[in-house]
Amino acid sequence: MDEKIKVLKEKLRYVGTRDLLGMIWIHFITFANGASDMAEQSDIFNKTNLISPQKQYTYLAGLLMSTDDKSDGHIISAEESEIYSKLENDVQEITLEYTKTFLDIDPSSKPDDIKRNLVSMVAFTSYFDTGILRYAEQTIHLIKILYSSFDLELESLTGLITEDYIAFYQLVCDEFKSAMSSSKYEIDRIKKFLNSLNPYAVDVEKEYERIIAFAQGSSGLNLQNVMDSLNSIKASKVYDIFGKEKGKRLLNIFGLYRKEREFSYYTAENPFAEHPLCWIDGGETLFIVHPQFLLNAIYNYITEVLENPQNKFADKYKRVKAEIVESQFLSYFKSILGDKAIYHTSVCEERGTKEHDILIEFHDYILIAEVKASKVREPFFNPQKAYKRISDNFHSDSGIGGAYSQAITLKKFIECQKDIILYENKNNKFQIENVPPKIILPLVLTLNQFGGLAVNTSLILEKDADEPYPWVCNLHDFENIIEILEYLHKKSQDFIDYIAWRINNHANVLYSDELDIVEGYFLDDQLRGGIESSAVFLSPNGPSLIDKIYFEKHGIPYEHPGVKNTEVRKKKKVGRNKSCPCGSGKKFKKCCIGKGIYDY
């Protein structure tokens, strides 16, 4: 593997910065005409043979920016573009080297050894190969609700507050979109002119003069200027908006110079992931591969700064963050179940005992939800060491298994009595009557995305044989499930039925994405019935229902074979004096108005 990485870095030294970053950009941009094109082109897997494109392109960019630039500055021609395919093949081979380590096991090995390698591989690929599955609006909302209350602390540590970081992202996003729109406008002007030429003209010289005049006029110059500014932002623009001091801080944090670095391994800290704005000259222009990379870096940077255990406010931060995440999940439940349910928080079996986060009574169901805001811990590359770390973390008090144990403890306490007295908010007594016929559903809700081990807890969960599996869901999947329910006109009971079905058939679902399971459940009758008799693997290929919903909200048609095309609907316009949809508590006009996030 070391030799393959060495060879790849040597090749990259002779590739221009803008050339390769531009190639990567092409894969993250959607060029489409019509709903069917949008469904195909918005899926990056349709544009490349890479097994995990987002992470692998990030790795390739990190390697590029960790080499000395020995290119001669010429733009790679169409004939030379095959070099990109060769570089992608090199990255693919390096990525597969990691997977081979987990698959390299004797077929006669003990079942526990096979399980160890399988669990380690699932955790490894989830952590290193799966990108952040959030839309920009969701990430911005998350930054605001989690971190804005710690603006004073953040400013003392970084000289910037959350609004500065979000505004910086928005500036980069606006520059990116503006250049894209300008290039399209100029290209359309050229197309219009070319279509105006008469191939059968008698006066050929006159037509030729028209071409020369057009090329030497403003259109040619405008197109050149637009292409030069495409995917870039000037440092001077940042200074104009933020001032010299703040502007320099932002560019120092997220700007990256190309130079020789020790970065080599796929699993190492990637300089491009942390600093996704790449300098393409001496310090005036930065290349934007895609604004989403910057937003992810901003979220990760703020999180790392505030979650430092050495901070004086560390305990307060941990407590407040947990309360915010729990409150967010509770609000989601209320949006689905409404006043048909009874909600209890901080539930105890007896006064002063360990509390449980959320308990919900809904008809003949009792939902016990434990909420965790803990981070995903990086797995080791060695399967033996990895499995122990993964298992210990999974079953710890802050892990999925630990949360499940808490939920089962309360389940056992409730189900052994006909009528039971519990305490909410630690001291307030309440009673659940006629418990025996009720169905108790254990839920584990997480802030972060734990990938395959969350969707398939049967791979690692330690539980009694007669106890159910939990339904595990992260914050943004939960939010997207609400979107799916509303789009398909599903009711509260449909949501409960899904959770019950999911728990009952948990061990038979083999996949790493809860949203694909939700989509299959509601759109594929054969899946719902067939899974009860045998395991089902859900393929990630094909159009995504949540993407369809997202694009249509932005006025973009998207074709999905499982859903009839309906009239494209947009989000309702937010009134200036209404509460901002981002959840900040401020009025829209005092918060996100004009930033293009909630303006429709």
Side-chain angles (χ1 to χ4, degrees):
M1 182 190 299
D2 287 341
E3 184 60 29
K4 288 182 179 180
I5 295 172
K6 182 179 177 182
V7 169
L8 175 55
K9 288 190 75 171
E10 186 60 30
K11 290 180 184 178
L12 289 171
R13 288 185 175 90
Y14 297 93
V15 178
T17 306
R18 193 160 194 161
D19 279 344
L20 185 59
L21 296 181
M23 181 278 289
I24 295 173
W25 159 72
I26 288 292
H27 288 85
F28 288 92
I29 292 296
T30 300
F31 300 97
N33 292 312
S36 58
D37 277 354
M38 178 58 66
E40 181 179 356
Q41 295 301 316
S42 62
D43 184 357
I44 193 173
F45 287 94
N46 289 325
K47 303 177 185 179
T48 177
N49 292 321
L50 296 177
I51 57 175
S52 52
Q54 182 172 332
K55 285 292 183 133
Q56 287 175 290
Y57 281 130
T58 301
Y59 174 59
L60 187 59
L63 288 178
L64 174 78
M65 298 303 291
S66 299
T67 63
D68 287 329
D69 187 357
K70 296 183 179 180
S71 63
D72 57 14
H74 88 281
I75 298 174
I76 292 177
S77 65
E79 292 76 16
E80 298 171 305
S81 62
E82 64 180 19
I83 188 176
Y84 296 139
S85 296
K86 293 178 179 178
L87 294 174
E88 288 178 348
N89 290 336
D90 291 344
V91 170
Q92 187 89 307
E93 287 186 16
I94 291 168
T95 308
L96 291 174
E97 284 287 329
Y98 287 97
T99 307
K100 289 177 184 177
T101 301
F102 299 103
L103 298 176
D104 185 19
I105 187 168
D106 192 323
S108 63
S109 299
K110 298 177 181 178
D112 285 348
D113 292 338
I114 297 174
K115 175 185 174 181
R116 175 200 69 199
N117 279 37
L118 176 60
V119 168
S120 298
M121 184 175 71
V122 169
F124 184 89
T125 54
S126 294
Y127 188 90
F128 289 107
D129 287 345
T130 305
I132 299 175
L133 304 176
R134 287 193 300 260
Y135 294 116
E137 295 92 332
Q138 292 177 314
T139 303
I140 290 170
H141 176 249
L142 192 57
I143 290 172
K144 289 189 173 185
I145 64 170
L146 288 182
Y147 302 138
S148 60
S149 60
F150 287 89
D151 269 340
L152 290 176
E153 292 83 354
L154 184 62
E155 187 173 28
S156 69
L157 293 169
T158 70
L160 301 158
I161 61 174
T162 51
E163 191 58 40
D164 292 326
Y165 291 102
I166 293 170
F168 179 56
Y169 159 75
Q170 196 60 55
L171 171 63
V172 170
C173 192
D174 289 344
E175 290 291 298
F176 185 83
K177 290 179 179 178
S178 177
M180 289 288 291
S181 297
S182 297
S183 64
K184 183 179 183 302
Y185 173 76
E186 293 300 334
I187 290 171
D188 286 344
R189 283 188 64 189
I190 293 173
K191 285 182 178 178
K192 186 177 180 180
F193 170 76
L194 292 175
N195 289 333
S196 74
L197 295 174
N198 182 5
Y200 307 107
V202 175
D203 193 344
V204 177
E205 289 186 5
K206 185 176 180 180
E207 289 296 282
Y208 179 71
E209 287 174 1
R210 285 183 62 202
I211 295 173
I212 295 300
F214 184 84
Q216 293 177 343
S218 62
S219 291
L221 181 60
N222 289 344
L223 181 60
Q224 183 60 52
N225 290 336
V226 165
M227 297 309 291
D228 287 344
S229 64
L230 200 62
N231 296 86
S232 65
I233 185 170
K234 298 291 185 182
S236 56
K237 181 79 172 183
V238 178
Y239 300 149
D240 288 343
I241 301 297
F242 292 94
K244 201 78 170 181
E245 184 179 350
K246 281 188 176 181
K248 280 190 173 182
R249 284 179 180 171
L250 287 165
L251 296 182
N252 285 338
I253 295 170
F254 300 110
L256 182 67
Y257 282 99
R258 181 173 178 178
K259 64 178 184 180
E260 194 68 34
R261 291 183 180 85
E262 292 184 1
F263 173 70
S264 295
Y265 296 111
Y266 192 68
T267 53
E269 291 185 2
N270 189 324
F272 175 78
E274 296 174 358
H275 318 279
L277 299 178
C278 302
W279 292 103
I280 50 178
D281 55 23
E284 175 54 27
T285 310
L286 298 110
F287 191 93
I288 309 165
V289 174
H290 196 285
Q292 186 67 45
F293 285 102
L294 174 62
L295 188 57
N296 292 343
I298 287 172
Y299 175 78
N300 292 335
Y301 177 76
I302 297 175
T303 302
E304 184 178 352
V305 168
L306 292 180
E307 291 194 348
N308 187 336
Q310 303 302 317
N311 291 334
K312 293 180 180 179
F313 56 90
D315 291 339
K316 176 188 174 184
Y317 168 81
K318 188 176 180 180
R319 183 183 70 255
V320 170
K321 183 176 182 179
E323 291 171 354
I324 290 171
V325 175
E326 182 180 325
S327 175
Q328 195 68 32
F329 272 116
L330 183 60
S331 71
Y332 287 163
F333 276 119
K334 289 180 177 180
S335 72
I336 298 174
L337 305 178
D339 57 8
K340 297 177 183 178
I342 303 171
Y343 307 91
H344 310 279
T345 58
S346 300
V347 175
C348 302
E349 290 95 331
E350 298 177 4
R351 284 192 180 96
T353 59
K354 190 171 184 179
E355 64 186 71
H356 304 271
D357 295 321
I358 301 172
L359 184 146
I360 301 173
E361 299 177 66
F362 180 82
H363 300 326
D364 292 331
Y365 290 89
I366 298 173
L367 282 64
I368 301 173
E370 300 292 350
V371 181
K372 297 298 177 184
S374 57
K375 295 194 301 184
V376 182
R377 195 174 184 189
E378 180 180 334
F380 291 123
F381 181 39
N382 179 286
Q384 284 184 309
K385 291 182 178 179
Y387 182 77
K388 185 179 189 314
R389 169 180 264 199
I390 294 162
S391 182
D392 289 348
N393 187 52
F394 186 91
H395 293 102
S396 68
D397 288 343
S398 61
I400 292 172
Y404 170 76
S405 296
Q406 294 170 20
I408 292 300
T409 296
L410 182 56
K411 174 180 178 290
K412 290 179 178 179
F413 183 77
I414 292 173
E415 65 189 4
C416 67
Q417 302 181 52
K418 183 177 184 299
D419 301 316
I420 189 166
I421 300 293
L422 295 169
Y423 298 86
E424 60 183 325
N425 298 320
K426 299 182 180 179
N427 291 309
N428 299 330
K429 183 188 297 185
F430 71 95
Q431 183 176 16
I432 301 178
E433 298 178 345
N434 194 26
V435 172
K438 298 183 186 297
I439 299 172
I440 303 177
L441 303 175
L443 281 59
V444 176
L445 307 174
T446 67
L447 167 61
N448 293 303
Q449 299 166 358
F450 284 79
L453 292 185
V455 180
N456 309 295
T457 64
S458 57
L459 294 173
I460 191 172
L461 184 69
E462 297 172 1
K463 74 175 191 66
D464 296 336
D466 58 345
E467 292 293 348
Y469 284 101
W471 180 59
V472 184
C473 189
N474 67 70
L475 187 69
H476 291 97
D477 278 355
F478 205 120
E479 182 180 354
N480 288 331
I481 288 170
I482 295 173
E483 295 276 358
I484 290 173
L485 293 171
E486 291 178 350
Y487 189 85
L488 297 178
H489 306 293
K490 300 300 179 182
K491 306 297 183 183
S492 303
Q493 188 61 53
D494 294 313
F495 172 68
I496 298 297
D497 289 345
Y498 170 73
I499 294 179
W501 173 88
R502 183 75 174 87
I503 288 173
N504 290 336
N505 299 283
H506 184 91
N508 281 348
V509 177
L510 303 175
Y511 200 60
S512 60
D513 190 339
E514 189 68 26
L515 292 182
D516 285 328
I517 302 173
V518 172
E519 180 178 331
Y521 174 83
F522 285 115
L523 299 182
D524 187 348
D525 293 336
Q526 291 183 337
L527 170 67
R528 285 205 300 273
I531 199 172
E532 296 175 9
S533 58
S534 61
V536 172
F537 173 78
L538 296 172
S539 172
N541 297 326
S544 161
L545 179 56
I546 194 61
D547 281 346
K548 177 180 176 66
I549 296 169
Y550 179 80
F551 283 122
E552 288 186 356
K553 278 188 174 182
H554 290 74
I556 302 170
Y558 184 104
E559 189 173 282
H560 190 291
V563 182
K564 291 182 179 179
N565 286 330
T566 56
E567 182 179 349
V568 173
R569 58 195 187 115
K570 295 184 181 182
K571 285 184 179 179
K572 293 181 180 179
K573 188 175 181 180
V574 182
R576 289 173 56 83
N577 293 310
K578 296 291 185 181
S579 297
C580 187
C582 75
S584 66
K586 300 177 183 178
K587 289 185 178 180
F588 184 48
K589 66 182 180 182
K590 296 287 187 180
C591 195
C592 290
I593 193 170
K595 295 182 178 179
I597 305 170
Y598 302 104
D599 299 292
Y600 296 96

